[in-house]
Amino acid sequence: MATERSIRTNFAFYPPDGDGGAWHATLESLERALREAFPDPTIGHRRSGVHEMPVLDFEIELTPDVWLDGTAAITEPDHAYITLTDVTADEAGAFALWLRDSLAPAPNLVRFASSIAMANGEDNPSPLPAQGSREDISDLLRRHLDAFDY
């Protein structure tokens, strides 16, 4: 029986190209949404030393005993991203489904990229499907990772 690889990498999620404010979100509204959706998240605010902007750091329990670490910056209308650190495609897929269906005001407003893709020269985020289950999205993210020789 073939064993599926559980590659861990960073995944980033972005609004559509050229429309950084498409999610109509702020760090405060993202914090509220995380607190409503996930039990007892750990959330902190700081100023990014890289981009010189306010960011929100969070740790959420995705499922029992599965924790995700992330960072978000939302500075309308120019720049927005949410990055998950050291996650599998399945973990990123579950978060992406929540992001698409709970935070973004329309399902076609989320793009994604991975550290593995960026390290291999791919710097254009791909659109997240506007429909599909967590399994569908996780499969897409796995295929995305498999497209790169790592």
Side-chain angles (χ1 to χ4, degrees), residues 129-145:
Q131 297 179 359
S133 67
R134 183 197 57 77
E135 292 82 12
D136 296 334
I137 294 171
S138 295
D139 287 344
L140 171 70
L141 298 181
R142 254 191 305 286
R143 288 190 310 274
H144 165 83
L145 295 176

Side-chain angles (χ1 to χ4, degrees), residues 10-123:
N10 300 340
F11 275 95
F13 301 96
Y14 307 94
D17 190 28
D19 191 3
W23 294 343
H24 302 289
T26 64
L27 292 180
E28 291 76 20
S29 65
L30 174 60
E31 179 178 351
R32 278 192 306 276
L34 289 168
R35 288 187 187 285
E36 290 173 7
F38 302 99
D40 300 318
T42 300
I43 296 177
H45 295 264
R46 65 179 169 86
R47 187 149 194 88
S48 168
V50 175
H51 300 291
E52 292 300 320
M53 67 177 65
V55 296
L56 181 140
D57 294 320
F58 61 90
E59 182 181 50
I60 57 172
E61 189 173 21
L62 187 62
T63 59
D65 297 322
V66 176
W67 293 85
L68 298 182
D69 289 320
T71 298
I74 302 174
T75 55
E76 286 186 282
D78 302 334
H79 189 73
Y81 68 84
I82 298 174
T83 301
L84 302 178
T85 306
D86 193 32
V87 294
T88 66
D90 285 339
E91 293 162 354
F95 182 85
L97 180 68
W98 172 80
L99 175 63
R100 182 195 72 189
D101 293 351
S102 298
L103 186 71
N108 62 337
L109 297 180
V110 179
R111 298 178 305 144
F112 71 93
S114 70
S115 294
I116 289 174
M118 289 182 211
N120 281 280
E122 179 57 60
D123 57 0

